[in-house]
């Protein structure tokens, strides 16, 4: 499930994570962050860290599955999507701006990689598919664009 951070400035996931921790939360409520430069970071939710400040920067695609997928909750409660979906936060406000080319390339590679790696990977969804919210934004490519990167495991 894709989300956008709603930031119009170049912030990194680690800074967003710190804000959540300082507000008393476990940490960033998404699993993976795609920064504006296209790098992938893993949040405490993904790595199930005992310490909410644990956050891994610049994780290569081929290394992400050495970490355990989350089993904690966040604000997307419809249809158990907290437990059934990998949540990807793409930095930016895509109601105002467009994703960078680096972000688009990384998201495409991530979808291809995940569809090859996770046998239960079935589809791509947006936050707005489950909640009345403009997320990941009107300038984020439509779901059909991303389905071109999907590798069928059938």
């Amino acid at each position: 499930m894709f989300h956008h951070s709603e930031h119009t400035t170049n912030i990194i996931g680690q800074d967003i994570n710190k804000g959540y921790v300082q507000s008393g939360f476990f940490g960033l409520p998404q699993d993976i962050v795609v920064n504006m430069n296209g790098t992938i970071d893993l949040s405490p939710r993904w790595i199930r860290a005992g310490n909410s400040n644990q956050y891994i920067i610049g994780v290569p695609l081929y290394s992400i599955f050495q970490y355990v997928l989350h089993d904690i909750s966040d604000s997307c409660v419809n249809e158990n999507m907290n437990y059934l979906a990998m949540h990807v936060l793409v930095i930016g406000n895509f109601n105002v701006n467009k994703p960078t080319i680096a972000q688009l390339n990384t998201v495409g590679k991530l979808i291809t990689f995940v569809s090859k790696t996770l046998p239960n990977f079935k589809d791509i969804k947006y936050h707005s598919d489950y909640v009345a919210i403009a997320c990941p934004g009107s300038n984020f490519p439509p779901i059909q664009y991303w389905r071109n990167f999907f590798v069928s495991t059938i």
Side-chain angles (χ1 to χ4, degrees), residues 98-116:
K98 292 183 178 182
T100 66
I101 296 297
Q103 286 174 313
L104 293 173
N105 288 336
T106 296
V107 169
K109 289 175 185 176
L110 179 64
I111 291 168
T112 301
F113 182 76
V114 168
S115 67
K116 288 179 181 177

Side-chain angles (χ1 to χ4, degrees), residues 38-69:
T39 59
I40 289 179
D41 298 340
L42 297 182
S43 78
R45 175 180 160 115
W46 176 274
I47 58 177
R48 296 176 63 190
N51 175 350
S52 63
N53 292 316
Q54 189 171 355
Y55 185 89
I56 301 177
I57 299 171
V59 179
L61 280 175
Y62 59 83
S63 295
I64 64 174
F65 290 105
Q66 70 182 337
Y67 303 95
V68 180
L69 189 57

Side-chain angles (χ1 to χ4, degrees), residues 11 14 19 22 30 51 57 68 72 75 88 126 132 139-140 143:
I11 190 167
Q14 188 172 23
Q22 289 169 350
Q30 290 84 21
N51 175 350
I57 299 171
V68 180
I72 63 173
S75 63
V88 179
Y126 288 166
N139 291 320
F140 201 70
I143 286 176

Side-chain angles (χ1 to χ4, degrees), residues 50-95:
N51 175 350
S52 63
N53 292 316
Q54 189 171 355
Y55 185 89
I56 301 177
I57 299 171
V59 179
L61 280 175
Y62 59 83
S63 295
I64 64 174
F65 290 105
Q66 70 182 337
Y67 303 95
V68 180
L69 189 57
H70 67 86
D71 65 357
I72 63 173
S73 183
D74 71 7
S75 63
C76 191
V77 296
N78 293 1
E79 299 185 28
N80 293 316
M81 281 298 117
N82 292 318
Y83 303 99
L84 300 176
M86 174 190 303
H87 294 262
V88 179
L89 178 68
V90 184
I91 300 293
N93 185 337
F94 306 126
N95 286 313

